[in-house]
Amino acid sequence: MANDTVQDGQALIFPTVDFNIGMAYDSQTGVFTTPTDGTYLFTARLCTNDKDVINYAIVVDGSDVTHGVHFGNTHDCASFNVMAILKAGNEVWVTCFFPGNKIAADEYRWNTFAGVVLY
């Protein structure tokens, strides 16, 4: 994901995968499918260009479990996270809402998404 305008409500795809123990994350769709019942922690980081806006959410099975807005200031990034008690097979992804959200990436600004079962 690099310097892309994202569509309202689409799952953001993070194509570079460093860890995928259990193969829960699908880098083709951007969806993390929970492999087991448990308490999960999801964290994401999205970057913008100066004066761009990101309206973001972490979504479980189509419903926001956290959301917010980030106003870019000098090409910076916003990090956000959520804990959720989920069942095996729940689908989790990061999305942006409102048309025109722009995600930026370069050697200094990395967009990330991670999910881990805590218990």
Side-chain angles (χ1 to χ4, degrees), residues 39-67:
T39 302
Y40 286 80
L41 172 65
F42 294 96
T43 184
R45 181 173 184 245
L46 298 177
C47 302
T48 66
N49 290 310
D50 191 28
K51 297 185 179 35
D52 283 340
V53 177
I54 302 173
N55 298 278
Y56 58 81
I58 295 178
V59 177
V60 174
D61 292 336
S63 297
D64 295 0
V65 291
T66 191
H67 62 265

Side-chain angles (χ1 to χ4, degrees), residues 45 47 75-77 104-111:
R45 181 173 184 245
C47 302
H75 311 287
D76 59 358
C77 303
D106 56 32
E107 64 270 23
Y108 304 107
R109 294 174 293 166
W110 295 6
N111 298 289

Side-chain angles (χ1 to χ4, degrees), residues 1 4 14 22 36 45 62 75:
M1 173 183 345
D4 294 330
F14 300 84
T36 185
R45 181 173 184 245
H75 311 287

Side-chain angles (χ1 to χ4, degrees), residues 108-119:
Y108 304 107
R109 294 174 293 166
W110 295 6
N111 298 289
T112 62
F113 174 49
V116 61
V117 64
L118 299 174
Y119 176 76

Side-chain angles (χ1 to χ4, degrees), residues 8-115:
D8 184 16
Q10 80 179 31
L12 300 182
I13 295 173
F14 300 84
T16 302
V17 179
D18 292 327
F19 300 99
N20 199 2
I21 299 167
M23 304 307 291
Y25 179 72
D26 184 336
S27 62
Q28 300 298 308
T29 65
V31 174
F32 180 104
T33 303
T34 54
T36 185
D37 294 0
T39 302
Y40 286 80
L41 172 65
F42 294 96
T43 184
R45 181 173 184 245
L46 298 177
C47 302
T48 66
N49 290 310
D50 191 28
K51 297 185 179 35
D52 283 340
V53 177
I54 302 173
N55 298 278
Y56 58 81
I58 295 178
V59 177
V60 174
D61 292 336
S63 297
D64 295 0
V65 291
T66 191
H67 62 265
V69 62
H70 175 70
F71 298 94
N73 183 17
T74 319
H75 311 287
D76 59 358
C77 303
S79 297
F80 48 101
N81 53 59
V82 67
M83 287 180 32
I85 299 171
L86 301 174
K87 298 288 186 189
N90 285 137
E91 294 184 332
V92 182
W93 63 89
V94 177
T95 191
C96 289
F97 50 95
F98 297 124
N101 286 267
K102 292 184 180 178
I103 306 298
D106 56 32
E107 64 270 23
Y108 304 107
R109 294 174 293 166
W110 295 6
N111 298 289
T112 62
F113 174 49

